[in-house]
Structures are given as C-alpha cells and as structure tokens.
Amino acid sequence: MTARGTLDALLERHGTTFATEAGIRLRDAPQPLYQLLVLSHLLSARIRAQIAVAAARALFAHRLRTPRHMADATWQERVDALGEGGYRRYDERTATQLGDGALLLLDAYGGDLRRLREEADGKTEALRSALRRFPGIGPAGADIFLREVQTVWPGQAPYLDAKALQGAERLGLPTKPDRLAQLAEGRDPAVVAAALVRGALGKG
C-alpha cells in the first residue's frame, strides 16, 4: 500500500479528533477553547484516553463548561463529576488543579484563551510555554491542546508532536513533519494528528 493509501485507511478508521469524541464543538470562541484545555489536561494523565474523554463529558454534563462555572463549583462537585467519568485515580488532585486553572484563566485572560494566543503573538513555542502555566498542563497537555486547536488556529498548523510522529513511524509513514503535512494536504491537520496518535497507541 502507498503512504497515501495507508494514511487514507488510518483516517477512515480514526478520522475523529479527541475534542469531537468528547462532544466539544470546537470554534475559535472562549467556551469551546476552554473545554479543549480541560480535555487536554485530562488526556495528559497516565490514564486511558477513553476514560479521559468520558471524564470530560461528565464534567460538561455537570455544566462545568466555562472557567467561571468550574471555579464556582465546589471541589467535591468536581471530584464527583470526574468519578462519574471513571477518572478515579487522579480525581482529587485533578479537581484541585481544574479549580486553580480556571481561576488563573479568569484572572490572567478574562476567561478567554484567545488572549493567551494574542499575548504569544501566535508563536507556537510561546503558546506552548504559556499553556504550561496552567496547573496540570505539562508538555504533553500543551502538545494535545496544540494538536487539536490547529483546526481553528490554522497559524499553528501543521502541529505534529512526538506522539503523532511516533504513530507515523509505526505505520511506515514519513516522520518529518513537512513531508507528513505534504502527504496529508487537503485534510484537517487536527484530524490527521489525532489519527496518528491513535496509531501510536496501537490502534492503527
């Protein structure tokens, strides 16, 4: 099979972003961008992606969809919502981090991650550093956010982190970001990145 055929087959099986899977209708607007930040936080823990997605859905079902609602919720409400989604191993620490992160977003950026992007002047490395200011968002969480947000922040595309490139290598696809982006031309870069990550996780 050609490289393009391999990529097409992968996208046929796994052509969905993690944001879509979590029920986030991603737009360049404060609420869905915040929901993506929460999902990125959850996905970055050493826990199965399905559990992280389920936990995000549970938080959003409890109306914890904005930084204001997250900050105003009690710690126990956050713990309970995470537990409902099966996110039990890290629920207490994560509940604290989500509350602190929501307050930071409100205080520093008025609850709007687009302001963080403006402050970083759209530069990917500056954005990556700024995202890591949020409790619980380390290098992996920042990578997840940037992989997924490139759909609505095209200035960040193509964003292919180490995990996505690991998936490319496993599937015999080019591992240089520019060659991979060329191969995937015309496809949503966030969908491509998410499919490659699933490939890295052995779901290719």
Side-chain angles (χ1 to χ4, degrees):
M1 188 183 290
T2 64
R4 181 69 190 213
T6 298
L7 182 61
D8 286 345
L10 179 70
L11 292 171
E12 183 69 29
R13 286 193 297 274
H14 301 301
T16 305
T17 63
F18 288 96
T20 298
E21 198 178 328
I24 301 169
R25 295 179 181 179
L26 195 57
R27 293 176 294 114
D28 188 21
Q31 183 169 311
L33 289 172
Y34 173 66
Q35 291 171 5
L36 178 59
L37 184 69
V38 170
L39 176 63
S40 300
H41 181 163
L42 300 176
L43 281 167
S44 66
R46 294 179 182 276
I47 201 161
R48 284 188 300 131
Q50 298 97 313
I51 293 175
V53 167
R57 283 183 165 276
L59 286 166
F60 304 151
H62 282 264
R63 301 184 62 195
L64 304 181
R65 304 184 198 105
T66 69
R68 174 50 60 200
H69 285 148
M70 188 69 79
D72 287 349
T74 66
W75 176 81
Q76 191 61 54
E77 285 170 338
R78 294 191 292 266
V79 168
D80 290 347
L82 288 165
E84 219 174 86
Y87 203 89
R88 295 189 179 86
R89 186 175 171 190
Y90 303 102
D91 55 352
E92 296 188 356
R93 182 182 66 184
T94 300
T96 299
Q97 291 172 335
L98 287 172
D100 292 345
L103 286 172
L104 174 61
L105 181 55
L106 289 165
D107 292 344
Y109 303 106
D112 189 346
L113 283 163
R114 294 175 302 179
R115 294 188 186 178
L116 178 147
R117 184 169 182 255
E118 287 168 14
E119 189 180 273
D121 198 26
K123 293 176 180 172
T124 299
E125 276 311 308
L127 264 172
R128 200 167 179 270
S129 296
L131 287 164
R132 291 178 62 185
R133 290 179 57 201
F134 291 97
I137 299 284
D143 281 340
I144 292 164
F145 183 90
L146 290 167
R147 275 200 324 250
E148 297 270 318
V149 83
Q150 60 186 322
T151 295
V152 295
W153 287 359
Q156 275 37 81
Y159 191 87
L160 296 162
D161 65 336
K163 182 63 77 174
L165 295 177
Q166 184 185 328
E169 183 176 23
R170 180 177 177 272
L171 296 165
L173 294 170
T175 55
K176 291 188 176 178
D178 55 345
R179 286 191 60 204
L180 200 48
Q182 188 176 12
L183 181 67
E185 191 175 359
R187 305 284 195 158
D188 182 333
V191 170
V192 172
L196 289 170
V197 167
R198 291 186 176 98
L201 296 173
K203 298 179 181 180

